[in-house]
Amino acid sequence: MALRSVAMGLPVALLLALVLARGRFPGRFALDALVHLPLVLPPVVVGWLLLLTFGVRGPVGAWLNAWFGLRLVFTTSGASLACAVMSLPLMVRAIRLSIEAVDPGLEQAAQMLGAGRLDRFLTITLPLAAPGVLVGAIAGFAASLGEFGAVITFAANIPGQTQTLPLAIYTALQTPNGDATAARLALVSVALALIFLVAADLAGRRLRARVGR
Amino acid sequence: MISFALRHRFPGIALDMAFVAPTPGAVVLFGPSGSGKSTAVAAMAGLLRGGSGRLEVDGEVLWDSAAGIDRPPERRRIGLVFQEARLFPHLRVAANLRYGLRRAAGDARGIGFDEVVALLDIAPLLGRRPHTLSGGERQRVAIGRALLSQPRLLLLDEPLSGLDAARKAEILPYLVRLKTHLGVPLVYVTHSMEELLHIADTLVLIEAGRVVEAGPLAELSGRGDLPLARRDDAGAVLDMAVEANDRDRHLSRLSAGGLTLEVPLVAAAPGARLRVRIPAREVILATDAPSAVSVHNILGGVVRAVHPDPTRHSALVEIAVGDQVVLARVTRDAVSRLALAPARDVLALVKSMSVDVLR
């Protein structure tokens, strides 16, 4: 589920980061604010807003249901969507910073060598921003694993389907004699967090070494 | 032929410049910094936003704001070498060189990979990463990369200004070779007299956003009324052919359009083309032929113009010798003593040792 959330969120985050880093257009500030909203709003509010838009009777949800028979509320896909929205600001921030760090002069040089817009992005900007994209993806993944409020509001707490780690820990704590389970899950959580931190650091270092920075 | 015009208004300066130059050949845009040279290059590349103007290269119109033509930079087939090399840090030298080559249309290919590598001497660098190269090496790779994109026109925006004197001296010969071997027209921006002298065929003098004068270097360098002549290192530039090398006397005889010069033996075979500069302040003028002097070159000519230079209490005298022109800087007193005026016959004495042989 966390993987699916990153898979859903990353392309969107890349596009948003690129637009925010390099674009100059009216409404840029509004878009920036919108992307960052999940970071400052209580997660439960985000979950409820998702419920309003993507619910079976919501404007987008009704449409999805009618045309594709796709229901997001109280499903794994819904949980992934909630996680993706919640982790989006983290990913956009990391990716945007690394795109902004790419010298626009290099893109200009590529342009003078005959590379079009998409070509430049794929061959110059993206490889040079790769460390930041990776860090963004890992941060997004970790955040998805730990998402609580938005998931429980939008997708409920269904074991094996929409249950994230903190939801499972919460459930265990609510059950009599669940302390041991909760402790085990908490350990798993700490271990995963450590693994991701180390992985992100190693990968980032290797990528940076490749471009000689 | 390159035909270029640009009008653009910036907060401190209004640009209004135009010039025409033959191709192939090297055009040098020469002028103080802030005079609009780099803006002109950006406009040619298509990187400048705003402004109006026109660019035509060898019959193809790439930009004409009046006709609504504005090809994007990536489709102008114009190469640009920046002040900094701007190599792609994540690619090795070979991949940097091939970046533009791979994107060039198949029918446009005329400049080969091996040819450029040999010309710029970069074979030993191909497997290296850009951050391991010296500044001079980087700039050579950048020039090669631009050439391999098969440009119809190559722009160089002060490509040597970020390098120290030794690195400059290392790259200059490559630039001269590139010009003579590949036949790609160049537009070269600089404020360095040395680079100008080595590279220019056509000179465009720019000051405060305007073209002061444009024309062949040999012609403009012999003019006493241009800002160029006010410089301490002013002097006529002549493109000459080696006539003969006299090994016994250690002298070479050069000629161009009715003017013959003897200079210390050059390392070029008879028939080779050489560019020389005769520094204006080294030229002595006389009305009678002196006898028993060490000077080899006593050039009989006619005064074409006399331009006073108030800043140095001197005058610049243009002397037509054959169909060439020699520029002499003499004192105001000398002008009156010899009664130097247009149409007066005069002898220009040029020491062999003071002639600069450039290439």
Side-chain angles (χ1 to χ4, degrees):
Chain A
M1 190 186 73
L3 274 177
R4 275 176 69 177
S5 126
V6 172
M8 275 203 289
L10 196 60
V12 180
L14 262 176
L15 192 70
L16 284 170
L18 184 71
V19 163
L20 288 174
R22 289 280 189 262
R24 294 282 172 272
F25 56 94
R28 179 164 161 264
F29 179 76
L31 182 67
D32 196 19
L34 187 70
V35 167
H36 281 89
L37 218 49
L39 201 63
V40 285
L41 274 180
V44 174
V45 174
V46 174
W48 184 64
L49 287 174
L50 284 173
L51 205 55
L52 284 183
T53 14
F54 292 95
V56 185
R57 263 178 243 127
V60 186
W63 182 80
L64 282 175
N65 204 359
W67 286 87
F68 301 102
L70 186 68
R71 223 191 61 174
L72 290 172
V73 189
F74 308 133
T75 61
T76 313
S77 304
S80 304
L81 176 69
C83 291
V85 169
M86 287 306 294
S87 56
L88 197 62
L90 288 175
M91 295 205 274
V92 170
R93 274 187 98 85
I95 298 170
R96 178 184 173 176
L97 282 176
S98 63
I99 287 180
E100 277 171 353
V102 174
D103 177 5
L106 294 176
E107 290 162 17
Q108 215 172 55
Q111 187 177 19
M112 292 312 299
L113 293 168
R117 194 182 285 264
L118 181 69
D119 189 359
R120 295 200 293 274
F121 177 68
L122 291 178
T123 58
I124 306 298
T125 319
L126 196 57
L128 289 174
V133 175
L134 186 82
V135 168
I138 289 175
F141 185 71
S144 296
L145 279 181
E147 187 42 43
F148 187 97
V151 174
I152 200 167
T153 320
F154 183 57
N157 180 9
I158 309 165
Q161 278 190 43
T162 70
Q163 202 168 48
T164 59
L165 257 175
L167 280 173
I169 295 175
Y170 177 75
T171 311
L173 285 174
Q174 300 294 308
T175 337
N177 307 318
D179 290 5
T181 317
R184 274 204 304 276
L185 287 169
L187 261 175
V188 170
S189 171
V190 170
L192 278 175
L194 282 176
I195 290 170
F196 288 136
L197 279 177
V198 173
D201 189 57
L202 280 179
R205 235 183 266 192
R206 282 188 65 171
L207 283 172
R208 268 193 293 277
R210 252 192 50 194
V211 298
R213 278 194 281 186
Chain B
M1 193 185 74
I2 303 169
S3 156
F4 175 69
L6 169 68
R7 276 162 165 279
H8 199 305
R9 197 163 267 291
F10 288 106
I13 184 171
L15 303 182
D16 185 358
M17 48 174 84
F19 65 83
V20 174
T23 55
V27 183
V28 168
L29 308 187
F30 187 78
S33 25
S35 57
K37 309 183 297 284
S38 292
T39 310
V41 161
M44 285 185 225
L47 296 172
L48 184 72
R49 292 284 124 237
S52 59
R54 192 173 182 282
L55 172 66
E56 182 184 330
V57 181
D58 293 331
E60 201 144 346
V61 179
L62 303 172
W63 180 42
D64 189 339
S65 50
I69 299 170
D70 186 6
R71 277 211 224 167
E74 62 267 34
R75 283 210 289 277
R76 286 194 182 189
R77 269 188 60 212
I78 289 181
L80 174 52
V81 177
F82 305 85
Q83 279 180 33
E84 338 79 58
R86 299 200 188 177
L87 300 182
F88 305 132
H90 59 302
L91 300 177
R92 290 180 194 279
V93 167
N96 263 285
L97 288 172
R98 288 207 167 89
Y99 192 91
L101 181 65
R102 286 199 348 238
R103 284 159 178 82
D107 59 336
R109 298 211 178 157
I111 304 171
F113 187 82
D114 296 334
E115 192 181 358
V116 166
V117 167
L119 186 77
L120 296 169
D121 235 339
I122 43 187
L125 312 177
L126 291 176
R128 305 251 301 266
R129 293 208 176 273
H131 64 98
T132 66
L133 305 180
S134 73
E137 289 169 338
R138 266 179 226 177
Q139 205 54 288
R140 258 151 62 201
V141 174
I143 293 167
R145 183 177 69 173
L147 277 174
L148 283 169
S149 69
Q150 315 296 324
R152 68 177 95 234
L153 172 66
L154 182 62
L155 310 173
L156 299 110
D157 187 4
E158 307 205 23
L160 306 187
S161 66
L163 305 175
D164 57 46
R167 295 287 149 270
K168 265 184 206 175
E170 169 199 321
I171 297 192
L172 214 45
Y174 289 109
L175 287 171
V176 174
R177 260 160 81 179
L178 172 164
K179 182 187 114 155
T180 46
H181 285 256
L182 293 179
V184 180
L186 308 182
V187 170
Y188 191 104
V189 168
T190 186
H191 54 253
S192 145
M193 184 60 132
E194 195 197 356
E195 291 166 42
L196 161 71
L197 292 175
H198 279 90
I199 288 162
D201 297 314
T202 302
L203 171 60
V204 179
L205 286 169
I206 295 180
E207 234 166 61
R210 273 157 212 286
V211 174
V212 176
E213 192 71 81
L217 172 64
E219 204 177 296
L220 299 197
S221 64
R223 293 259 301 266
D225 57 337
L226 297 176
L228 214 53
R230 301 269 190 276
R231 296 174 57 114
D232 201 38
D233 52 4
V237 174
L238 306 171
D239 286 313
M240 311 190 82
V242 180
E243 288 265 292
N245 289 324
D246 186 338
R247 286 178 203 289
D248 295 332
R249 293 167 65 215
H250 300 277
L251 288 174
S252 292
R253 198 168 71 246
L254 314 178
S255 79
L259 188 155
T260 306
L261 277 184
E262 281 185 322
V263 298
L265 203 56
V266 296
R273 309 281 308 169
L274 279 178
R275 174 171 281 186
V276 303
R277 190 178 70 106
I278 304 174
R281 50 174 196 181
E282 304 283 348
V283 177
I284 297 164
L285 298 183
T287 43
D288 297 314
S291 56
V293 285
S294 66
V295 173
H296 281 98
N297 304 297
I298 300 179
L299 312 170
V302 181
V303 174
R304 195 172 71 173
V306 180
H307 301 280
D309 178 359
T311 57
R312 283 197 174 78
H313 303 288
S314 63
L316 289 147
V317 185
E318 298 172 15
I319 304 124
V321 181
D323 54 16
Q324 305 288 312
V325 175
V326 173
L327 195 63
R329 180 190 288 285
V330 293
T331 56
R332 303 285 279 274
D333 179 61
V335 171
S336 51
R337 271 196 294 116
L338 297 183
L340 296 175
R344 174 118 162 89
D345 286 327
V346 75
L347 297 169
L349 279 57
V350 179
K351 272 172 66 106
S352 297
M353 293 308 298
S354 58
V355 176
D356 286 340
V357 179
L358 297 167
R359 64 160 198 252

